[in-house]
Short mmCIF file of all heavy atoms in Angstrom, two decimals:
data_model
loop_
_atom_site.label_atom_id
_atom_site.label_comp_id
_atom_site.label_asym_id
_atom_site.label_seq_id
_atom_site.Cartn_x
_atom_site.Cartn_y
_atom_site.Cartn_z
N GLU L 191 29.52 -5.45 4.48
CA GLU L 191 29.94 -6.65 5.24
C GLU L 191 29.53 -6.59 6.77
O GLU L 191 29.07 -7.60 7.35
CB GLU L 191 31.44 -7.00 5.27
CG GLU L 191 31.89 -8.20 6.01
CD GLU L 191 31.24 -9.38 5.57
OE1 GLU L 191 31.01 -9.67 4.39
OE2 GLU L 191 31.00 -10.37 6.50
N LYS L 192 29.76 -5.42 7.37
CA LYS L 192 29.41 -5.28 8.82
C LYS L 192 27.90 -5.45 9.08
O LYS L 192 27.48 -6.14 9.90
CB LYS L 192 29.79 -3.88 9.33
CG LYS L 192 29.56 -3.79 10.84
CD LYS L 192 30.08 -2.39 11.40
CE LYS L 192 29.73 -2.27 12.79
NZ LYS L 192 30.28 -1.06 13.42
N SER L 193 27.05 -4.91 8.15
CA SER L 193 25.64 -5.17 8.21
C SER L 193 25.34 -6.68 8.23
O SER L 193 24.54 -7.12 8.96
CB SER L 193 24.96 -4.45 6.97
OG SER L 193 25.03 -3.05 7.06
N ILE L 194 25.88 -7.39 7.24
CA ILE L 194 25.56 -8.87 7.04
C ILE L 194 26.27 -9.59 8.29
O ILE L 194 25.56 -10.58 8.80
CB ILE L 194 26.20 -9.32 5.71
CG1 ILE L 194 25.45 -8.66 4.64
CG2 ILE L 194 26.03 -10.89 5.63
CD1 ILE L 194 23.83 -8.87 4.64
N GLN L 195 27.31 -9.27 8.92
CA GLN L 195 27.72 -9.82 10.03
C GLN L 195 26.68 -9.78 11.26
O GLN L 195 26.47 -10.77 11.92
CB GLN L 195 29.04 -9.26 10.51
CG GLN L 195 30.19 -9.54 9.70
CD GLN L 195 31.48 -8.87 10.14
OE1 GLN L 195 31.42 -8.09 11.12
NE2 GLN L 195 32.50 -8.96 9.38
N ASN L 196 26.12 -8.73 11.36
CA ASN L 196 25.01 -8.51 12.32
C ASN L 196 23.76 -9.34 11.90
O ASN L 196 23.21 -9.89 12.73
CB ASN L 196 24.62 -7.08 12.42
CG ASN L 196 23.69 -6.74 13.70
OD1 ASN L 196 23.87 -7.04 14.75
ND2 ASN L 196 22.45 -6.43 13.28
N VAL L 197 23.33 -9.23 10.55
CA VAL L 197 22.12 -10.03 10.24
C VAL L 197 22.24 -11.55 10.43
O VAL L 197 21.44 -12.16 10.71
CB VAL L 197 21.94 -9.74 8.64
CG1 VAL L 197 20.87 -10.64 8.18
CG2 VAL L 197 21.54 -8.25 8.48
N ARG L 198 23.59 -12.11 10.23
CA ARG L 198 23.85 -13.48 10.62
C ARG L 198 23.55 -13.80 12.02
O ARG L 198 22.91 -14.93 12.26
CB ARG L 198 25.18 -13.82 10.24
CG ARG L 198 25.58 -13.85 8.78
CD ARG L 198 26.87 -14.27 8.49
NE ARG L 198 27.27 -14.26 7.01
CZ ARG L 198 28.19 -13.47 6.56
NH1 ARG L 198 28.93 -12.68 7.42
NH2 ARG L 198 28.51 -13.32 5.24
N ARG L 199 23.87 -12.89 12.82
CA ARG L 199 23.57 -13.03 14.29
C ARG L 199 22.12 -13.00 14.59
O ARG L 199 21.45 -13.83 15.48
CB ARG L 199 24.28 -12.13 14.98
CG ARG L 199 25.84 -12.17 15.04
CD ARG L 199 26.66 -11.41 15.91
NE ARG L 199 26.40 -11.98 17.32
CZ ARG L 199 26.98 -11.36 18.31
NH1 ARG L 199 27.87 -10.38 18.32
NH2 ARG L 199 26.77 -11.94 19.68
N LEU L 200 21.42 -12.11 13.84
CA LEU L 200 19.93 -12.04 14.06
C LEU L 200 19.29 -13.28 13.57
O LEU L 200 18.29 -13.77 14.26
CB LEU L 200 19.29 -10.79 13.23
CG LEU L 200 19.93 -9.54 13.36
CD1 LEU L 200 19.07 -8.47 12.77
CD2 LEU L 200 20.10 -9.11 14.89
N VAL L 201 19.71 -13.74 12.41
CA VAL L 201 19.05 -14.97 11.86
C VAL L 201 19.26 -16.24 12.87
O VAL L 201 18.39 -16.94 13.05
CB VAL L 201 19.75 -15.35 10.55
CG1 VAL L 201 19.39 -16.73 10.08
CG2 VAL L 201 19.28 -14.29 9.53
N GLU L 202 20.53 -16.31 13.39
CA GLU L 202 20.69 -17.43 14.29
C GLU L 202 19.87 -17.27 15.58
O GLU L 202 19.35 -18.18 16.10
CB GLU L 202 22.29 -17.49 14.67
CG GLU L 202 22.58 -18.69 15.63
CD GLU L 202 22.34 -19.99 14.86
OE1 GLU L 202 22.27 -20.09 13.75
OE2 GLU L 202 21.98 -20.95 15.67
N ARG L 203 19.86 -16.03 16.11
CA ARG L 203 19.00 -15.85 17.34
C ARG L 203 17.64 -16.02 17.15
O ARG L 203 16.89 -16.72 18.05
CB ARG L 203 19.32 -14.34 17.81
CG ARG L 203 18.53 -14.01 19.20
CD ARG L 203 19.24 -14.83 20.28
NE ARG L 203 18.37 -14.32 21.64
CZ ARG L 203 18.80 -13.31 22.35
NH1 ARG L 203 19.91 -12.59 22.10
NH2 ARG L 203 18.13 -13.03 23.45
#
Side-chain angles (χ1 to χ4, degrees):
E191 176 61 36
K192 182 175 181 178
S193 292
I194 293 305
Q195 288 175 2
N196 188 63
V197 171
R198 291 190 184 109
R199 299 191 67 175
L200 303 187
V201 169
E202 182 59 29
R203 181 71 180 266

